[in-house]
Amino acid sequence: MGDFQLVDPRGWEYDLHSVYSAYMGHFQHYGIPWYERSWGVMFESFDEFLTFSWPVIVVTDSWTGRAHIVTRMTSIGAFLKMIKTRFGETLPNVDNILKISPFEAHQRPLRTVSDWSSYKKVFATLPAVTQAAYKVRVKSGEPKAVRELWEKKDKTFLAIDFEWSERNATSCLEWGYAAVRCGHLDAVGTWPPSPDNYRKGHYIVAEYVDKLVNKHQPTFPWAYAFGDSQVIPKAKLPQIIQAIISSLASPSSDSQPNTLVLVAHGIHGDLQRLEEMKISAFPVPVDVYAAQHTLNITPEIPSNAVIIDTAAFERELFNMGLRGPMQDMKTGKPRKPGSTLSLGNLLASMKVNVQCALHNSGNDAMMCLFALQKLFDPENTKVPMVQVRQPPVPPNTYGVSPSPTMMVPSVSLQPWVNYGGSSPSGSSPSPSEWRRSTASNHNLSGDEGRRGSPNYFNFRDQDVGTNPHRLSAISTGSRESRRLSSLTDEMGYRRDRSSSREPLDRSMRNLTIG
């Protein structure tokens, strides 16, 4: 059992336990008293049957998906030859042995079982092998395997999407997700799920927003159409993703799939981004003996989580004729088998018109999960409602930023220019000067060339000249606002003079405010 030899699975088609069972059925059917024959000792139990030392491998059936301990016809022939040589009697070949078609195409570890103990060790690996093969079948888009996940109504589907920089793929600009907990909805009697009730979110990386812009495929970070976007630091994004995954996943297991099903359209790039953030699933070893030679790594994503690529799933549906004839969106010619649709073309093929901008990670995740449910249940899946409508952003331009720092001048105050403070020379700004600075809604700064005169205020030329937002904010002052500002100065001057003992000037007494 300790030797490690790899063999091609082709030709390994006969379930070992079924060989024993088939001969016992043959004896019963034809009334053969095997227990009176000299060779009958080989069939007294399955344990005695295994003493022949059978070479076996573990594979899964390509149709049922179940794992089997299988042997070859040449090994069955060698067993029958042993019976004839040792006991002098010929046993026939029987035709009721369970024959399977191996799903695995790569080489498999060869084992030799000669007793019940060794058979149990190999049998213990069957759940892990079944699970590993099932994950491969689902990820490749096999319709039968993918539909089983939805029909069980006990999985949680989590659709994710990253938007990253064209210049540096490791720079993630956005991340969005949408999730539906089928087990919870089925338990409360709400089926089928409504896309409007998906759990969803959209996160924008603060370090890159409105700074990194993709030219070939522009992104629209401020166009999330199903809720409010959250601007977060780059360092917090992995932590947020991990917390969301943890809130939806069940514990890892070698015997059964996780409740979490990860979904994306063209998922290869999204999995790479997760791996770069060290949020990756360590593959389940398909053999307990091979597990002894692997590293002890704790995965961030449960290792038994299943992955669905909606692009691959739709492609397999089309290849099997389950989506009907279609035309190529670009050429207008009939669609070729094996071709893959983009998310936008997939929605168009479903005749779905949702007013939201794609290449926004939150919108893409939402529409990806909606498209998957639409493929499962086209009649009962409703189109989600757009909660926030924003004007489309022209290509190769920045999205409209709601951040106040992008719209309001941020000219800094000198440390001593604040209400109730004092200047370095001990003087304070007058109330009229303070009212002027607050009423105009602009921060003021002392002039660089007049530091000796702290009561003189204006905008610094370098602040205005280098920032178009500040220039536009300054130029918004109308003639009326300047008139009100001057009147405020005069009223402040009169109030200051009235509170003192000095008589007012005659010209100020006759001042009429009109």
Side-chain angles (χ1 to χ4, degrees):
M1 295 292 294
D3 297 335
F4 227 28
Q5 181 182 351
L6 298 177
V7 296
D8 192 318
R10 288 179 296 182
W12 298 78
E13 301 172 327
Y14 300 92
D15 185 271
L16 180 58
H17 188 270
S18 177
V19 176
Y20 174 72
S21 179
Y23 273 99
M24 293 302 295
H26 173 78
F27 300 151
Q28 182 67 34
H29 181 72
Y30 291 99
I32 300 174
W34 59 271
Y35 43 85
E36 295 179 353
R37 305 295 174 86
S38 58
W39 46 263
V41 65
M42 300 297 300
F43 293 93
E44 288 183 355
S45 67
F46 185 52
D47 191 3
E48 293 294 337
F49 180 77
L50 294 176
T51 57
F52 174 70
S53 296
W54 293 87
V56 297
I57 64 172
V58 178
V59 294
T60 54
D61 189 1
S62 59
W63 176 247
T64 65
R66 299 189 184 96
H68 297 266
I69 302 174
V70 296
T71 189
R72 296 175 295 180
M73 179 55 73
T74 55
S75 299
I76 298 175
F79 173 76
L80 299 178
K81 184 177 180 180
M82 182 271 296
I83 295 292
K84 183 177 181 180
T85 302
R86 181 181 298 182
F87 302 101
E89 190 169 344
T90 301
L91 291 180
N93 289 315
V94 293
D95 57 1
N96 58 336
I97 301 175
L98 176 61
K99 186 177 180 180
I100 69 169
S101 176
F103 169 77
E104 291 79 4
H106 55 278
Q107 292 185 327
R108 308 292 296 167
L110 175 64
R111 303 297 174 191
T112 301
V113 293
S114 56
D115 54 23
W116 179 247
S117 177
S118 59
Y119 181 84
K120 285 203 308 181
K121 289 182 179 179
V122 180
F123 187 83
T125 68
L126 295 186
V129 174
T130 301
Q131 185 170 286
Y134 186 69
K135 290 175 62 177
V136 174
R137 293 169 59 204
V138 171
K139 191 175 180 181
S140 64
E142 182 183 311
K144 181 177 181 292
V146 177
R147 288 187 181 277
E148 287 178 359
L149 293 171
W150 183 259
E151 292 169 355
K152 290 181 178 179
K153 301 181 182 180
D154 62 350
K155 303 299 180 187
T156 296
F157 295 85
L158 171 63
I160 63 171
D161 183 74
F162 284 94
E163 296 294 337
W164 56 83
S165 172
E166 293 174 341
R167 295 185 177 182
N168 184 4
T170 60
S171 298
C172 292
L173 311 180
E174 308 169 47
W175 182 73
Y177 79 96
V180 56
R181 298 186 297 163
C182 296
H184 172 75
L185 295 178
D186 185 52
V188 298
T190 304
W191 194 266
S194 172
D196 290 327
N197 296 330
Y198 289 168
R199 180 186 296 185
K200 48 193 174 288
H202 179 232
Y203 298 88
I204 305 173
V205 177
E207 285 83 346
Y208 302 134
V209 62
D210 295 338
K211 296 178 183 179
L212 292 183
V213 180
N214 291 335
K215 295 183 179 180
H216 299 289
Q217 190 59 263
T219 59
F220 308 100
W222 303 112
Y224 183 44
F226 301 99
D228 297 327
S229 301
Q230 299 184 48
V231 181
I232 61 170
K234 176 183 177 181
K236 293 295 183 180
L237 182 58
Q239 179 181 351
I240 292 173
I241 296 175
Q242 182 59 65
I244 291 173
I245 292 175
S246 298
S247 69
L248 301 173
S250 62
S252 182
S253 171
D254 292 338
S255 59
Q256 59 185 357
N258 200 280
T259 57
L260 177 67
V261 178
L262 206 61
V263 183
H265 193 84
I267 200 169
H268 178 70
D270 299 287
L271 293 179
Q272 283 188 330
R273 304 291 84 79
L274 290 174
E275 290 177 0
E276 290 162 1
M277 296 179 182
K278 301 188 183 303
I279 308 175
S280 59
F282 190 70
V284 179
V286 298
D287 192 283
V288 292
Y289 309 107
Q292 299 174 359
H293 304 281
T294 60
L295 297 177
N296 184 18
I297 299 178
T298 302
E300 299 292 344
I301 297 178
S303 57
N304 58 337
V306 182
I307 297 174
I308 295 180
D309 188 339
T310 51
F313 176 46
E314 190 280 334
R315 182 177 61 240
E316 292 302 315
L317 289 174
F318 176 76
N319 291 342
M320 297 178 64
L322 300 178
R323 296 215 65 208
M326 300 177 63
Q327 285 187 344
D328 190 298
M329 300 289 182
K330 295 182 179 179
T331 63
K333 299 180 180 179
R335 180 184 174 187
K336 297 181 180 180
S339 58
T340 303
L341 296 182
S342 66
L343 180 58
N345 288 339
L346 173 57
L347 296 172
S349 70
M350 298 176 175
K351 296 180 174 56
V352 174
N353 183 21
V354 180
Q355 299 298 324
C356 67
L358 297 181
H359 299 291
N360 170 287
S361 60
N363 294 343
D364 285 1
M366 179 70 179
M367 299 314 298
C368 177
L369 186 56
F370 162 75
L372 179 64
Q373 182 175 343
K374 189 77 171 176
L375 291 173
F376 287 142
D377 190 3
E379 300 297 331
N380 300 316
T381 302
K382 299 179 181 179
V383 178
M385 296 181 60
V386 175
Q387 298 181 9
V388 180
R389 294 183 181 272
Q390 298 185 7
V393 182
N396 301 328
T397 58
Y398 296 111
V400 179
S401 172
S403 173
T405 58
M406 299 299 295
M407 298 186 238
V408 180
S410 57
V411 185
S412 60
L413 288 169
Q414 294 290 346
W416 50 271
V417 182
N418 49 58
Y419 191 74
S422 59
S423 68
S425 60
S427 61
S428 301
S430 66
S432 60
E433 292 166 344
W434 174 255
R435 283 191 297 273
R436 184 190 306 128
S437 64
T438 56
S440 61
N441 200 26
H442 298 306
N443 293 331
L444 302 181
S445 174
D447 186 85
E448 294 293 335
R450 302 193 180 187
R451 292 188 180 276
S453 179
N455 291 332
Y456 183 89
F457 301 90
N458 74 336
F459 285 95
R460 291 183 294 184
D461 294 338
Q462 59 267 33
D463 288 334
V464 176
T466 58
N467 194 322
H469 295 283
R470 292 169 180 158
L471 182 59
S472 61
I474 296 170
S475 61
T476 56
S478 63
R479 181 180 304 174
E480 186 64 24
S481 63
R482 290 195 299 270
R483 178 173 175 269
L484 290 176
S485 178
S486 63
L487 289 176
T488 303
D489 292 341
E490 296 297 342
M491 293 176 65
Y493 176 76
R494 293 182 62 187
R495 189 178 65 177
D496 296 341
R497 294 286 296 176
S498 63
S499 61
S500 66
R501 297 180 180 272
E502 299 178 9
L504 291 174
D505 185 79
R506 183 178 299 274
S507 61
M508 294 300 298
R509 296 175 186 170
N510 299 328
L511 177 64
T512 301
I513 301 176

